[in-house]
Amino acid sequence: MRGRGVLVVFALVLAATAIAEESRGPRIRVEPESFDFGKVLPGRTLRKEFRLRNLGDDALVIERISRSCGCTAAATEATALPPGESTPLRITVETRDASGTVEHEVLVRSNDPETPTLEIRLRATVVAETR
């Protein structure tokens, strides 16, 4: 029975080591992961602040932020985040003369080996003003 107990302890140590290995390096997360502005009017500028976080144990480098449409802009205060740190990501969407449901994406490219490109989805329903 003693040998079996040693095997169980050994298996637990291996599992803990695998989990520790898995969490090494930078790990990007965003809060919230997506956002729906709901019903909005045309010709408006919509704003939402997200929070980029580094949940890893190495510095996270934000290499590039791109967007799916020229009506969307995104900016962050920091491009390098030490472990445990965060930075705001401010996104604006111009509704211009759109109508109906519009969806846009902001892509954040980083040195996170598990999630090299983080996708943030934005949605709004543009409705005409009623009089």
Side-chain angles (χ1 to χ4, degrees):
M1 189 69 177
R2 185 167 185 224
R4 180 179 276 175
V6 170
L7 285 175
V8 169
V9 169
F10 182 69
L12 289 173
V13 168
L14 282 177
T17 302
I19 290 169
E21 290 287 328
E22 195 174 284
S23 67
R24 291 198 177 170
R27 295 290 178 258
I28 192 170
R29 295 295 179 272
V30 66
E31 297 166 0
E33 294 179 0
S34 63
F35 190 75
D36 188 337
F37 289 99
K39 291 183 179 181
V40 298
L41 296 172
R44 306 296 174 159
T45 299
L46 312 174
R47 292 176 175 81
K48 176 65 180 164
E49 184 172 294
F50 293 79
R51 177 121 337 243
L52 291 175
R53 298 188 183 280
N54 180 4
L55 300 181
D57 64 358
D58 201 0
L60 175 73
V61 177
I62 298 167
E63 299 166 352
R64 182 176 177 202
I65 299 174
S66 58
R67 63 243 194 285
S68 62
C69 173
C71 62
T72 305
T76 187
E77 292 177 6
T79 56
L81 297 174
E85 293 296 314
S86 67
T87 188
L89 173 66
R90 293 179 183 93
I91 298 177
T92 60
V93 177
E94 295 178 5
T95 60
R96 298 181 182 168
D97 60 355
S99 65
T101 301
V102 293
E103 295 180 339
H104 303 288
E105 293 83 32
V106 172
L107 303 175
V108 181
R109 178 108 176 111
S110 74
N111 65 333
D112 179 338
E114 285 186 11
T115 311
T117 303
L118 177 73
E119 183 177 304
I120 303 167
R121 293 186 173 272
L122 304 157
R123 182 181 184 149
T125 303
V126 184
V127 295
E129 196 168 1
T130 58
R131 296 177 197 237

